[in-house]
């Protein structure tokens, strides 16, 4: 993108080597505020960090996705303090995830028999990541017998 910034984080390699993934090579992830915020947290904490919902650059299906970033440092000593992590950061290893595929792979058959949704509620605003069908009963349909809500922290985000 145009403009000069203090830091850049272009995608250099992305596996598997598909036509879709090739389109993401060269994309500067630091140009997107949602990605940049997760990457900055990964450097600061020295731990993997999730983004909020994003559109994956290589996703032609226009599905909701998210990314898990892990900062890579020059050496173990530089990663032992916040200042060292800031100065010793060399780049990132990351995992792009499509919400729908993530739920299908993780929950398998359970998702077919249960209505649920997964939302990112970090900072108080609810951003839907996944919904399994219609959550509220259709006209003439009985309301759910059981309803449960859990709020869970995951890699710097609250779901």
């Amino acid at each position: 993108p145009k403009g000069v910034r203090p830091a850049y984080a272009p995608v250099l390699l992305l596996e598997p080597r598909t036509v879709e993934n090739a389109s993401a090579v060269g994309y500067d992830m630091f140009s997107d505020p949602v990605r940049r915020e997760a990457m900055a947290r990964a450097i600061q904490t020295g731990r993997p960090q999730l983004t909020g919902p994003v559109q994956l650059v290589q996703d032609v299906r226009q599905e909701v996705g998210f990314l898990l970033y892990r900062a890579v440092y020059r050496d173990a000593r530089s990663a032992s303090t916040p200042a060292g992590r800031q100065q010793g950061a060399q780049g990132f290893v990351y995992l792009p995830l499509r919400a729908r595929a993530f739920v299908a792979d993780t929950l398998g058959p359970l998702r077919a028999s249960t209505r649920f949704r997964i939302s990112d509620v970090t900072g108080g605003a609810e951003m839907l990541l996944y919904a399994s069908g219609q959550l509220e009963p259709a006209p003439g349909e009985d309301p759910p017998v059981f309803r449960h809500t859990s709020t869970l922290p995951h890699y710097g985000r609250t779901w």
Side-chain angles (χ1 to χ4, degrees):
K2 293 181 181 180
V4 177
R5 292 179 308 286
Y8 298 86
V11 175
L12 300 178
L13 301 167
L14 188 56
E15 292 291 336
R17 292 183 183 186
T18 63
V19 173
E20 292 85 10
N21 282 348
S23 69
V25 173
Y27 174 72
D28 179 11
M29 294 184 289
F30 248 48
S31 68
D32 174 53
V34 175
R35 289 170 171 86
R36 183 174 55 247
E37 190 268 334
M39 295 165 85
R41 279 189 287 111
I43 291 171
Q44 292 163 0
T45 64
R47 297 174 56 200
Q49 298 293 305
L50 278 170
T51 66
V54 295
Q55 174 68 48
L56 301 177
V57 174
Q58 70 273 30
D59 197 351
V60 295
R61 290 172 265 183
Q62 303 291 310
E63 291 183 29
V64 174
F66 49 98
L67 302 133
L68 180 65
Y69 288 103
R70 172 78 181 193
V72 176
Y73 303 97
R74 285 192 219 348
D75 56 54
R77 284 189 326 218
S78 66
S80 63
T81 66
R85 286 191 290 271
Q86 196 66 38
Q87 291 187 356
Q90 280 193 303
F92 301 89
V93 174
Y94 78 103
L95 175 65
L97 297 158
R98 289 175 182 86
R100 185 167 303 284
F102 175 73
V103 169
D105 292 345
T106 305
L107 299 179
L110 175 65
R111 67 189 169 92
S113 61
T114 307
R115 292 183 191 169
F116 66 96
R117 69 176 165 212
I118 301 171
S119 297
D120 185 312
V121 295
T122 307
E126 182 175 338
M127 294 179 281
L128 185 65
L129 290 169
Y130 178 87
S132 63
Q134 183 177 339
L135 295 176
E136 297 304 320
E141 188 177 49
D142 290 332
V145 174
F146 176 74
R147 184 174 283 212
H148 177 74
T149 301
S150 293
T151 304
L152 306 166
H154 290 291
Y155 301 104
R157 304 297 297 186
T158 303
W159 286 7

